[in-house]
Amino acid sequence: MQDLLDKIDKSRMPRHVAIIMDGNGRWAKEKGQDRLYGHFHGVESVRDIVEGAGELGIEYLTLYAFSTENWDRPVYEVTGLMELLVDTIKKEAPDLKKNNIRLHVIGDIKMLPEHARNELVEVMEDMKNNTGMSLIMALSYSSRWELVNAVKNIAIDVKAGKIDPASITQDTLQAYLTTSAFPDPELMIRTSGEYRISNFLLYQLAYAELYFTNVRWPDFRKENLYEAILDYQSRERRFGKISEQVKAEELAH
Ligand code: IPE
Ligand code: IPE
Ligand code: MG
C-alpha cells in the first residue's frame, strides 16, 4: 500500500473525487447473506475512504449513497438503509468533527424520514465551521431531479424579474445546482463492475475522468482509492484541445 501511495504525485491531485458506491447487495449475496448485511459493511469502506481522501489532501469527496430511484426498492431494504443512515451519522459525527471534516448533503432531503433529516441537519450545523475536507453525501439525489429543480427555480426568478433570460450563462445554471458551492469532480469512481452513471452528477461530470473497478463497495479500501488516483494521473486531460497544446500549456506553467 505504501508503494502505491509513494507513486502518487501530490502536486497533481484531483480536488474533487466523486464515488458511486455500488455492489453492496451482490457482495452480501455472494456470502449467502441478506442485502442489508452488505450495506452495513459498506459503512466500513466509507470510513476508510473518508480517512484516506483526507490524508491525501483531497478537498471535496462526494459519495452517492442513495438515489431518487432507490426509493423504489423493497420497503424492507429502504427502511433498513434509513436506519443505517441515522445510526451511522450518530456514530461517526464525533470523529468527523475531530478530523475537521465538513458535512454537506445534496439531494431531495424532504423525502427522508423526519428523524433522519433532523439528525443530518443537526450534525451539519455542528460541523459548519470546520475547515478541512468537505464530505458531500448524495442522499435521495438524482441528476435529473436536480436539473429540473434548477430550471424551475430559474423560471421563478425570471418571472420575478430577478434574472434577465438573455443574461443566463453556464455560471447562472451552476449557481442553481445543489453543487453550486463545489468545483466539478475531476475523477469519478464507480465500484462493482457496472459501467454507467445512474443519474449521478450528469452536468458536473462533463469533463471528469471516469474510473471503473470490479471491486464491490464493501471491499473498497484506501489502496483501491490510490490505484484510481494513479490511473487518473496517468491520463491526459485535453478538454477538446490537441495533445501538443496541452503539453505546451503545461510547460508554460
Ligand atoms: C449500492 O449497493 C448501495 C445503494 C444503492 C444504496 P447496491 O445496493 O446497489 O448493491 P448491488 O448493486 O445490488 O450489488
Ligand atoms: C447507484 O447505484 C446509486 C447508488 C450507488 C447510491 P444503483 O445500484 O442504484 O444503480 P443501478 O440500478 O445499478 O443503475
Ligand atoms: Mg447497485
Side-chain angles (χ1 to χ4, degrees), residues 23 55 59 86 128 134 151 155-156 160 169 172 195 222:
E55 287 162 359
E59 293 170 66
V86 177
K128 70 167 194 271
S134 281
V151 170
I156 290 170
T169 62
T172 319
Y195 297 85
K222 285 179 194 175

Side-chain angles (χ1 to χ4, degrees), residues 169-188:
T169 62
Q170 292 189 10
D171 289 340
T172 319
L173 178 53
Q174 152 77 15
Y176 282 82
L177 298 177
T178 59
T179 52
S180 59
F182 320 121
D184 288 342
E186 294 95 335
L187 172 62
M188 195 285 286

Side-chain angles (χ1 to χ4, degrees), residues 8-104:
I8 293 178
D9 178 352
K10 286 287 183 69
S11 70
R12 289 177 53 240
M13 290 297 295
R15 290 183 71 198
H16 186 172
V17 176
I19 307 181
I20 301 179
M21 310 186 287
D22 196 18
N24 296 352
R26 278 163 287 159
W27 183 88
K29 259 182 118 180
E30 282 152 12
K31 295 190 153 35
Q33 300 280 351
D34 186 84
R35 292 179 58 86
L36 286 178
Y37 180 79
H39 297 314
F40 185 76
H41 279 271
V43 176
E44 287 289 316
S45 306
V46 171
R47 201 177 292 130
D48 200 57
I49 295 314
V50 168
E51 187 180 277
E55 287 162 359
L56 285 170
I58 288 168
E59 293 170 66
Y60 304 88
L61 176 68
T62 298
L63 300 178
Y64 201 8
F66 195 84
S67 73
T68 308
E69 288 75 20
N70 289 148
W71 289 113
D72 294 332
R73 289 192 179 189
V75 173
Y76 162 77
E77 183 168 343
V78 172
T79 311
L81 274 166
M82 289 302 136
E83 273 170 25
L84 184 62
L85 171 70
V86 177
D87 285 356
T88 306
I89 306 166
K90 273 196 192 142
K91 246 194 2 244
E92 300 299 322
D95 264 359
L96 292 176
K97 197 172 176 198
K98 193 176 83 216
N99 293 327
N100 199 20
I101 287 170
R102 234 183 119 171
L103 182 68
H104 309 263

Side-chain angles (χ1 to χ4, degrees), residues 204-221:
Q204 296 88 336
L205 293 177
Y207 269 105
E209 296 300 324
L210 308 182
Y211 179 86
F212 298 95
T213 170
N214 288 331
V215 176
R216 309 267 196 241
W217 179 251
D219 286 331
F220 196 85
R221 288 293 180 274

